[in-house]
Amino acid sequence: MNDPEQTYDVGILGWWYGKNYGSILTYYGLNRAIEELGFRTLMVHEPLGYNGYRVLWPDDILSVEFARRVGYHYTTQMHFSELPALNARAGTFIVGSDQLWNPLIGRVNDDLFLDFVSPKNRRVAYATSFGNRGTKKFKPDFIQKHSANLQKFNAISVREGYAVDTAREVFGVEATQVVDPVFLLPARAYDTLADKAGVDMSGDYLAVFYLDPTPEKRAVALALADRLGLQRIVVIPNPDGGRPLSEELFADPRFEILAEDAPENFLHAYRKSSYVVTDSFHGTAFATIFGKPFSSIYNTHRGIDRFKNLLDWLGFGETRRLTENDTAETLANNPNIALTLDYTGAMARIAEGRARSRAWLQAALTSEAGTTAAIAPPPQAAGAQRPGRFTASNAAWEITPGAEGEDLTVAPGGAVRGNQVWCDLPARPAPGSACRLVLDWKLRTTAPALNLHLRNPATGDFQVIGKVAVEGRVDQARRDTVDFIMPSGEFSQLMLGAVHFTGPRGGALVTGLALEEIARSEMRKAPAKPKPATHAEIALKLALDDNDRFVKAHAQSGRSITSARARLMFHAHAIEKGLSRLDFRGGFGKISVPALAREMNNWLDAGRDRQDAFLRTAASVMQAYFDRHRRIDVDVSAFHALFGAPALELIAQAGPAEGGVLTAAAYREPVPDVNPDNRFLDVVYGRRSIRDFTAAPVADADLARAVQLAMQAPSVCNRQAGRVHVFSDPFRIQAAIDIQGGFGGYNTPPRLLLVTADLNAFLFASERNQAFVDGGLFMMGLLLGLQHVGLGGCPLNTAMNTERENALRKLLDIPESEVFISFVAAGHYDPAILTPRSRRLDVEEVMRRHDRPATTGEAAAPSQTEAVK
């Protein structure tokens, strides 16, 4: 049932629509438990659009028919881009059980980490599983993306005990172990379903529920029935396409195939059985719920650790385990096989787990929306260890052992919180003892000071033990001493944070480390807490960061394609300017023409793109240059000889549309067909900063037209450094806006643009600020272009500290060589909405004339009123 206007308390995501009894009954348990706590639920169907594993599910499959029978409210399948609309229909979203966070399963995707949920709504995970024990399956990009997602959850619970450690150590979140959702309901709840079965089972029989039946498992069932003295064997086929295989494999009078696939029939056959054998995790769980004697064949294809975790919790250990290799002889000698099983301890554990887990669930669904499951320290990347004494939490650190010691270097963009490096302490003083740590090292950082930490290797927890002032002694041998009291707990490692090692090749060369116990009376008084950085100090730090980025781009100018293009255009544009002079000077270009010949020859010798727009412009400019001199009969053959044969071929083939000169009244390129009735004054005076957008989709073609209009803005030597990054994924847009921090209180815009300028386009040290000049001109053209094509735009500044900028670069994949100019929220809008008046200053306050009087001597300066007449 789906009423798109109906609102709910809780939206449930997970594999409730799967064609297997485990998934169906897992979510039945979760759904009913939440509703019994007083919440109205909406089951969210699997969204499409991620990959080939996500398919359109038929409406007449087992799970959906069951959903209708039990009265679920559920959505139809939608594209994942439509998920954010659900934020208006439910205040809390809960991702359910099963292996929804196992990266080895193709259907696991961003929605199962609740990436679409608004910050205003609650995010909860109940009994979610990472799959089998072990962390090698978690790749760095998976960890990076989903650590950020999971740390936004208000509460997280997991199904397996080892998953608590996985959540903390890999993803940086606190998790609580709870029972599988099927245990949230008592047996009588499943009795009610079993009473509605379409089959009627009676008598003594062995129930066989194999998800992955094989001839070996068939033989085990026969031998087990013989061992128990049961002549009748009832096979419950896997409803997910397993019936044909079961009918073929168990084609024997001894076996009886359950007549119809339905969860009610599955429960009925379990409830009436004398003994159960299964290779299913949930098949094992329901044997215990109904108190049946049972044996389990741990399913290697579906996660052995899940079986072990369940049976250890119930107190059965390995006593219920069989293998595919068991024979009549091994079963005859197995003392744990009998038609009775003591459930005293198991039922007590189930009751306790149910009560505890339902209490956790109620608290999670009613907790304050601001609480999160995130913990410190931030997550560590699995398998990121480096050789040598030091180990890093991820690839942000480069560790190089050498003769002097360990050289630790922070990768570009890596100087942010959460990137850590550590080594074992040389001693293990007792907690509470006074200690002195001595470090011999060389520091490379622009930070004024840095913290030293102790780290607990078992938990990842860390504590600051002291601060070291850099004091300008960069890359010099130094000894720093810190006195502290050893904290309680297993703090046995020294840890450094990359956030303190800013600047080019930030890091340290550690040559010596010592730790000794001292008397408390010997402890040195800690230095006074440094004063907060002043405005001037912060501004200087940011300016130095900007300069580092500019210098780095300048150093790479000889290697990047962008710089090569910039040099082509720089020299070509100089020649264009000479061609445009009214007092034309034949033979001009003694610097520019040889330089352009060198750049064109180098480009072609390197095998670069012959159709590149800047190369074509250079060729067209030189064609115009040679033609002009031919017409006025000026010999420039010496210049002609500088160009290689490939370059001359391009020059001969070039057309006049790519470069050269044209009259000021002419258009340099075709004018886009965009709203010809929209006058310039209407565009300029009609532009507003729009923050409320309609749901109308934004066409890529409209954005392209706006960008084309923006590209008419001038740039230094026509090097065109402006870039526009366009984002449509609502998750990335909201995440970027959250970091930017200037769009709070408004809905996520349909599109987000980021205007940047590529530093590789600037060739000289004096152009240190040109990126912002050219970027600003481009930015204004873009805003007017958006207005002209009928879209609203709101510039969102990028004036932020280095840490936030680096976080945005990582989130949005922005190259280090591009400087941020501004974000622009963009979309369609209702012209009747209200916008700030934002009154502009009077012209007299802005325009200042500096005319000198015509006569000798100085006359009084004109008044501001006269200045504009």
Side-chain angles (χ1 to χ4, degrees):
M1 294 181 290
N2 179 36
D3 178 359
E5 302 300 321
Q6 180 66 53
T7 59
Y8 301 86
D9 301 308
V10 180
I12 301 176
L13 282 83
W15 294 333
W16 59 269
Y17 38 79
K19 296 186 292 184
N20 66 84
Y21 297 136
S23 294
I24 294 170
L25 293 172
T26 286
Y27 287 93
Y28 179 79
L30 183 60
N31 177 285
R32 288 300 184 257
I34 293 175
E35 292 202 336
E36 287 175 4
L37 292 173
F39 299 97
R40 184 174 170 82
T41 60
L42 174 68
M43 308 298 282
V44 179
H45 212 321
E46 181 171 73
L48 303 170
Y50 287 110
N51 53 37
Y53 295 97
R54 296 293 183 92
V55 298
L56 189 64
W57 292 84
D59 196 47
D60 58 352
I61 57 175
L62 177 82
S63 53
V64 180
E65 289 180 340
F66 177 78
R68 285 193 287 265
R69 286 199 300 273
V70 298
Y72 285 169
H73 296 267
Y74 60 89
T75 68
T76 55
Q77 286 187 268
M78 63 186 77
H79 190 271
F80 71 81
S81 62
E82 300 175 83
L83 287 173
L86 294 177
N87 284 291
R89 299 187 64 188
T92 296
F93 290 88
I94 184 167
V95 60
S97 185
D98 222 326
Q99 301 181 62
L100 306 184
W101 294 342
N102 185 347
L104 302 181
I105 297 177
R107 285 166 59 200
V108 170
N109 228 302
D110 300 354
D111 58 316
L112 298 177
F113 293 85
L114 302 184
D115 69 318
F116 65 91
V117 176
S118 164
K120 301 175 184 178
N121 290 345
R122 186 181 287 104
R123 311 175 196 206
V124 177
Y126 184 83
T128 315
S129 175
F130 294 105
N132 273 351
R133 190 188 304 270
T135 59
K136 290 184 178 179
K137 60 192 170 192
F138 301 116
K139 304 306 179 187
D141 56 342
F142 186 91
I143 295 172
Q144 179 181 354
K145 177 192 290 187
H146 296 311
S147 293
N149 285 332
L150 292 179
Q151 288 172 23
K152 296 176 183 177
F153 274 59
N154 301 94
I156 293 174
S157 61
V158 290
R159 190 172 63 190
E160 291 85 25
Y162 55 80
V164 174
D165 297 329
T166 300
R168 171 181 284 273
E169 295 170 7
V170 178
F171 296 96
V173 292
E174 194 71 65
T176 302
Q177 185 183 10
V178 294
V179 300
D180 186 280
V182 297
F183 292 108
L184 289 173
L185 304 181
R188 64 177 179 273
Y190 300 111
D191 285 333
T192 302
L193 284 178
D195 290 341
K196 299 175 182 178
V199 296
D200 186 12
M201 308 296 294
S202 60
D204 296 330
Y205 60 87
L206 170 68
V208 177
F209 179 48
Y210 289 152
L211 293 180
D212 302 294
T214 64
E216 292 78 13
K217 292 179 185 178
R218 177 185 184 277
V220 170
L222 281 169
L224 183 60
D226 290 341
R227 168 75 166 80
L228 294 167
L230 297 172
Q231 296 303 309
R232 189 175 169 210
I233 305 174
V234 175
V235 176
I236 306 170
N238 179 358
D240 191 6
R243 182 168 289 275
L245 177 58
S246 293
E247 290 175 343
E248 176 184 348
L249 189 63
F250 299 105
D252 183 284
R254 186 82 180 272
F255 294 98
E256 176 183 336
I257 309 295
L258 193 66
E260 180 186 356
D261 295 334
E264 296 90 340
N265 293 349
F266 163 79
L267 294 172
H268 178 80
Y270 253 62
R271 183 178 62 171
K272 291 292 188 177
S273 67
S274 303
Y275 198 98
V276 172
V277 61
T278 182
D279 68 352
S280 160
F281 171 85
H282 283 106
T284 300
F286 275 101
T288 66
I289 287 172
F290 285 119
K292 295 296 177 180
F294 71 98
S295 294
S296 293
I297 299 175
Y298 294 2
N299 196 320
T300 57
H301 301 294
R302 300 173 186 264
I304 290 178
D305 285 333
R306 299 189 301 152
F307 289 85
K308 292 181 177 179
N309 190 81
L310 173 63
L311 295 175
D312 285 345
W313 169 59
L314 293 172
F316 291 125
E318 292 286 288
T319 64
R320 313 319 308 161
R321 184 174 187 177
L322 299 183
T323 72
E324 291 185 63
N325 299 321
D326 272 318
T327 63
E329 182 179 0
T330 61
L331 294 179
N333 295 322
N334 187 334
N336 298 310
I337 297 175
L339 290 172
T340 59
L341 180 60
D342 183 3
Y343 265 98
T344 305
M347 289 302 178
R349 290 181 174 90
I350 291 173
E352 183 277 331
R354 179 184 304 124
R356 171 175 46 83
S357 300
R358 286 174 72 105
W360 182 93
L361 183 60
Q362 182 168 25
L365 295 175
T366 56
S367 63
E368 293 183 11
T371 61
T372 69
I375 58 174
Q380 302 172 13
Q385 289 190 351
R386 305 293 187 112
R389 291 193 309 122
F390 277 84
T391 301
S393 64
N394 54 40
W397 284 96
E398 178 183 353
I399 303 173
T400 308
E404 290 186 83
E406 299 271 314
D407 192 274
L408 315 174
T409 303
V410 179
V416 297
R417 296 187 186 280
N419 296 335
Q420 305 158 358
V421 66
W422 59 82
C423 69
D424 291 334
L425 293 170
R428 296 285 297 275
S433 57
C435 300
R436 176 166 293 162
L437 178 77
V438 181
L439 262 173
D440 292 318
W441 56 350
K442 296 179 181 179
L443 298 178
R444 301 187 300 274
T445 180
T446 57
L450 56 90
N451 290 336
L452 301 180
H453 311 78
L454 293 186
R455 181 179 184 274
N456 185 326
T459 65
D461 293 338
F462 58 89
Q463 292 190 17
V464 176
I465 58 169
K467 184 182 291 288
V468 172
V470 178
E471 300 173 330
R473 294 162 54 203
V474 177
D475 217 10
Q476 300 178 24
R478 55 186 288 158
R479 170 169 288 180
D480 288 299
T481 302
V482 173
D483 293 350
F484 64 98
I485 301 298
M486 194 71 183
S488 59
E490 296 297 317
F491 288 92
S492 60
Q493 295 174 333
L494 170 69
M495 191 200 83
L496 305 172
V499 68
H500 299 297
F501 294 90
T502 54
R505 287 189 56 78
L509 172 63
V510 182
T511 58
L513 173 63
L515 179 66
E516 61 176 336
E517 292 189 46
I518 59 175
R520 291 204 174 211
S521 59
E522 295 179 300
M523 292 185 67
R524 302 174 184 176
K525 186 177 180 180
K529 186 175 181 180
K531 295 180 180 179
T534 65
H535 178 86
E537 290 169 338
I538 294 172
L540 176 61
K541 168 67 168 52
L542 294 174
L544 290 174
D545 287 345
D546 288 340
N547 185 67
D548 288 343
R549 192 179 305 281
F550 180 78
V551 170
K552 187 185 301 180
H554 192 68
Q556 296 173 348
S557 62
R559 300 188 294 274
S560 75
I561 292 292
T562 303
S563 294
R565 299 178 87 221
R567 291 192 297 273
L568 284 170
M569 188 60 74
F570 175 77
H571 299 303
H573 191 62
I575 297 167
E576 283 184 320
K577 288 186 288 185
L579 290 170
S580 68
R581 291 175 63 101
L582 291 176
D583 56 339
F584 182 80
R585 297 178 292 108
F588 79 92
K590 292 181 174 59
I591 296 175
S592 299
V593 174
L596 184 59
R598 181 177 62 252
E599 293 299 334
M600 289 184 69
N601 293 337
N602 289 343
W603 181 284
L604 293 166
D605 289 345
R608 290 172 175 160
D609 183 13
R610 293 172 61 91
Q611 298 303 313
D612 180 83
F614 279 30
L615 180 66
R616 295 201 314 268
T617 293
S620 183
V621 167
M622 288 313 303
Q623 185 187 74
Y625 179 89
F626 290 135
D627 286 350
R628 181 75 170 272
H629 285 83
R630 190 178 302 112
R631 290 197 304 270
I632 63 174
D633 196 24
V634 172
D635 181 17
V636 289
S637 58
F639 285 162
H640 194 276
L642 298 175
F643 293 86
L648 290 174
E649 180 183 355
L650 284 180
I651 292 170
Q653 296 171 352
E658 301 287 349
V661 291
L662 75 171
T663 63
Y667 293 128
R668 71 167 64 90
E669 58 194 39
V671 178
D673 182 15
V674 182
N675 199 2
D677 297 328
N678 205 354
R679 299 181 310 137
F680 177 72
L681 287 179
D682 293 333
V683 172
V684 173
Y685 278 85
R687 191 205 66 78
R688 297 286 184 272
S689 289
I690 302 298
R691 296 172 175 84
D692 288 299
F693 300 96
T694 69
V698 177
D700 288 337
D702 285 340
L703 291 177
R705 291 187 186 98
V707 172
Q708 185 175 354
L709 293 172
M711 290 168 61
Q712 306 312 305
S715 62
V716 62
C717 296
N718 194 34
R719 280 179 258 162
Q720 304 174 56
R723 302 289 182 266
V724 184
H725 299 268
V726 182
F727 303 97
S728 57
D729 176 12
F731 166 72
R732 294 181 80 190
I733 291 175
Q734 190 58 53
I737 286 173
D738 289 344
I739 297 173
Q740 190 271 341
F743 206 68
Y746 297 95
N747 292 328
T748 306
R751 294 293 184 99
L752 184 67
L753 316 180
L754 175 59
V755 178
T756 66
D758 193 341
L759 291 173
N760 285 317
F762 305 103
L763 306 175
F764 310 104
S766 58
E767 294 177 331
R768 64 196 183 281
N769 297 322
Q770 195 65 43
F772 302 100
V773 175
D774 287 7
L777 291 168
F778 183 94
M779 168 75 181
M780 190 66 240
L782 179 62
L783 291 173
L784 294 176
L786 291 171
Q787 178 70 19
H788 195 61
V789 301
L791 295 173
C794 180
L796 307 173
N797 76 69
T798 54
M800 59 187 65
N801 61 33
T802 304
E803 184 176 355
R804 288 166 60 203
E805 181 179 325
N806 287 337
L808 282 167
R809 287 186 185 278
K810 182 178 292 187
L811 172 69
L812 303 178
D813 193 25
I814 306 300
E816 285 289 323
S817 64
E818 296 182 22
V819 295
F820 293 179
I821 304 300
S822 180
F823 283 109
V824 180
H828 291 281
Y829 66 99
D830 181 350
I833 64 169
L834 299 178
T835 62
R837 180 175 293 276
S838 300
R839 183 185 181 278
R840 297 320 195 227
L841 295 171
D842 293 335
V843 173
E844 290 84 352
E845 293 190 58
V846 176
M847 191 175 85
R848 305 292 179 90
R849 291 178 57 178
H850 297 269
D851 297 336
R852 286 187 176 275
T855 58
T856 57
E858 294 294 338
S863 68
Q864 290 185 2
T865 302
E866 294 172 334
V868 295
K869 291 181 179 178

